[in-house]
Amino acid sequence: MNLISKRIKGMQDLLPPLSGIWNAVEDVLKSEASNYGFSLIRTPVLESTELFQRSAGGESDVVQKEMYTFDDKGGRRVSLRPEGTAGVVRAVLENGLHNGALPLKLMYVSSCYRYEKPQSGRLREFFQFGAEVFGTESALADAELIMLGNSIFNRLNVQDISLEINSIGCFECRKRYIDSIKIYFEKHQNDLCETCKERLYRNPMRIFDCKNSRCSEICKNAPVILDYICDKCSNHFSDLQKYLSDAKIVFSINPSIVRGLDYYSRTVFEFVYSGAEAPITVCGGGRYDGLAEDLSGVCLPALGFGMGIERLLMVMENQKLNPVKKSVPVVFVACADDTARSFSLDLTQKLRQNSINALVDISEKRVKHQMKYADKIGARYVLVIGSDEFKSHKARIHDMQSGVNKEISLGKNFVSDFIDIVLQNY
Ligand code: ATP
Ligand code: MG
């Protein structure tokens, strides 16, 4: 085929039936978050580049290498959002939502863009379900947010997900820690990958995020952040663990989680799927108490997570989970000749007005072809309407499963008669 232009690398079309699964999953995500008190927010896909430089951090991989950045026609430097949090924080501050009731809970489903090397579970356009909480420093909020993540996996029946948590302390405790890991990584400098050699001087904590196996090996014996955090941060982390244990949520402490974006402080966590060949991080999040202040001078402690929807669907496919309640057409109204077209359209419409999934012929092909089509799309009943049926106001309804035909009146009581016949068999 000579299609003039093809899909952009790293971007996907979402096609049926996967689109149906996607929709059902999105419904579960939103309804579970809504049970926890989250309201929906939508922010623009484009933000000023500066926002991401300030939030994710100029040294982060996301900002350094992965952003889609360009000048718009008015000469503004803009970027496609690489993640959801920064735009939401900006929107909260710009619209003064922090002046209303706090804590404030917001959720979103946003497309994100990162110029990464496309591979399984790593796309250039992907979707994040995000949940953010503003206006509380309490570890209860951290516990509750993690409980939301946990409830989502439970509601979707996803197994083999483990929760890993860590605390990266506040900016004060991190200063001492960074000094000590600099000394440690300098000793192993020659074995680090080229990127990590640079990270060593610019932002050594990023080394923990490296996917290179040699760097990961070196990270295993590096000083542990938890040995450097101050009493306040340490108590906060203990509180979180207590609340999680009390809620019977299983977790492990993984001191190497630092997260890919610079704005995190104190709690960081990931939900990791271990049932595939390599572990898949489906959801990552944490606290970012200093971000709002950094962007606006307003003190607004906050926390949140981002769940990669494509990765969640990969895991669900791996476990053969399908949350879609099968919605095959209950009835297909076939039309035998032109005199009955408007009549069959009208009958079908009456069924739909009563929430019955009903399709009608729109191809103008022969009845035999229409019957084949009804069979292919899995319609349970077929009603053939022609000029005779139109005149007599009676037709036969054909049960495609049992092969049984029943007479049905097409008059005033058509819908209730139809429901009677269908309910007998459903
Ligand atoms: P990773 O370590 O896998 O690169 P990350 O730390 O860059 O992840 P975050 O910025 O925390 O990821 O994003 C939150 C979630 O978004 C991830 O856990 C993942 O599920 C999803 N995600 C991130 N990048 C991609 C991508 N390029 N393609 C698909 N999903 C992604
Ligand atoms: Mg990444």
Side-chain angles (χ1 to χ4, degrees), residues 10 61-62 66 82-84 112-129 209 211 259-261 263-264 269-271 279-285 305-312 314:
D61 273 3
V62 167
E66 299 171 1
E83 55 92 35
C112 299
Y113 302 82
R114 295 186 191 176
Y115 199 79
E116 300 200 69
K117 192 163 172 251
Q119 51 194 289
S120 165
R122 203 169 286 287
L123 295 152
R124 289 183 174 171
E125 179 186 64
F126 63 99
F127 286 75
Q128 266 186 4
F129 170 73
D209 238 10
K211 309 274 185 293
R259 317 274 317 117
L261 310 167
Y263 51 59
Y264 287 104
F269 62 88
E270 289 184 353
F271 285 96
I280 299 174
T281 307
V282 182
C283 174
F305 69 60
M307 193 178 280
I309 300 189
E310 289 82 359
R311 291 202 194 166
L312 176 60
M314 263 172 73

Side-chain angles (χ1 to χ4, degrees), residues 36-211:
Y36 277 73
F38 286 78
S39 312
L40 203 63
I41 184 168
R42 200 170 74 194
T43 62
V45 66
L46 272 185
E47 297 277 359
S48 74
T49 302
E50 203 184 355
L51 175 68
F52 301 115
Q53 282 167 342
R54 284 296 290 270
S55 57
E59 300 300 331
S60 64
D61 273 3
V62 167
V63 169
Q64 283 250 312
K65 302 189 225 155
E66 299 171 1
M67 276 211 301
Y68 282 85
T69 297
F70 57 95
D71 292 334
D72 73 4
K73 289 200 170 77
R76 299 169 199 90
R77 196 94 178 126
V78 292
S79 299
L80 291 175
R81 71 180 151 226
E83 55 92 35
T85 303
V88 171
V89 175
R90 187 221 21 89
V92 165
L93 295 167
E94 193 167 343
N95 295 289
L97 302 188
H98 58 290
N99 298 321
L102 293 178
L104 166 71
K105 295 173 174 179
L106 297 171
M107 62 162 148
Y108 52 86
V109 174
S110 297
S111 59
C112 299
Y113 302 82
R114 295 186 191 176
Y115 199 79
E116 300 200 69
K117 192 163 172 251
Q119 51 194 289
S120 165
R122 203 169 286 287
L123 295 152
R124 289 183 174 171
E125 179 186 64
F126 63 99
F127 286 75
Q128 266 186 4
F129 170 73
E132 317 283 351
V133 182
F134 296 90
T136 168
E137 263 190 275
S138 167
L140 275 172
D142 306 47
E144 195 197 39
L145 182 73
I146 289 173
M147 284 165 77
L148 168 61
N150 204 61
S151 306
I152 286 170
F153 293 120
N154 285 342
R155 253 187 75 177
L156 291 169
N157 265 322
V158 179
Q159 310 294 314
D160 299 328
I161 293 279
S162 49
L163 166 63
E164 299 178 1
I165 63 171
N166 191 24
S167 173
I168 56 169
C170 57
F171 292 97
E172 281 309 310
C173 6
R174 222 171 309 157
K175 272 188 208 150
R176 289 183 290 131
Y177 178 61
I178 287 173
D179 288 343
S180 80
I181 55 170
K182 253 193 191 151
I183 296 170
Y184 171 80
F185 285 123
E186 263 168 2
K187 282 193 219 141
H188 296 86
Q189 196 168 1
N190 294 338
D191 295 324
L192 291 173
C193 74
E194 289 310 308
T195 320
C196 283
K197 277 182 190 146
E198 281 172 33
R199 285 172 170 148
L200 179 52
Y201 295 103
R202 291 213 307 256
N203 194 345
M205 277 180 77
R206 285 277 80 79
I207 298 176
F208 290 103
D209 238 10
C210 186
K211 309 274 185 293

Side-chain angles (χ1 to χ4, degrees), residues 175-292:
K175 272 188 208 150
R176 289 183 290 131
Y177 178 61
I178 287 173
D179 288 343
S180 80
I181 55 170
K182 253 193 191 151
I183 296 170
Y184 171 80
F185 285 123
E186 263 168 2
K187 282 193 219 141
H188 296 86
Q189 196 168 1
N190 294 338
D191 295 324
L192 291 173
C193 74
E194 289 310 308
T195 320
C196 283
K197 277 182 190 146
E198 281 172 33
R199 285 172 170 148
L200 179 52
Y201 295 103
R202 291 213 307 256
N203 194 345
M205 277 180 77
R206 285 277 80 79
I207 298 176
F208 290 103
D209 238 10
C210 186
K211 309 274 185 293
N212 181 306
S213 57
R214 266 180 52 190
C215 297
S216 309
E217 220 28 62
I218 295 170
C219 288
K220 279 187 187 154
N221 296 317
V224 171
I225 180 97
L226 291 176
D227 294 335
Y228 290 78
I229 62 177
C230 65
D231 286 351
K232 263 180 101 176
C233 290
S234 173
N235 290 339
H236 192 271
F237 193 45
S238 308
D239 287 348
L240 168 63
Q241 292 174 59
K242 180 189 173 318
Y243 295 136
L244 290 177
S245 302
D246 289 350
K248 311 238 167 341
I249 293 194
V250 181
F251 62 89
S252 59
I253 295 173
N254 178 351
S256 67
I257 301 182
V258 296
R259 317 274 317 117
L261 310 167
D262 275 357
Y263 51 59
Y264 287 104
S265 55
R266 290 193 169 169
T267 311
V268 285
F269 62 88
E270 289 184 353
F271 285 96
V272 183
Y273 175 62
S274 55
E277 261 172 46
I280 299 174
T281 307
V282 182
C283 174
R287 224 171 225 290
Y288 48 92
D289 286 344
L291 179 57

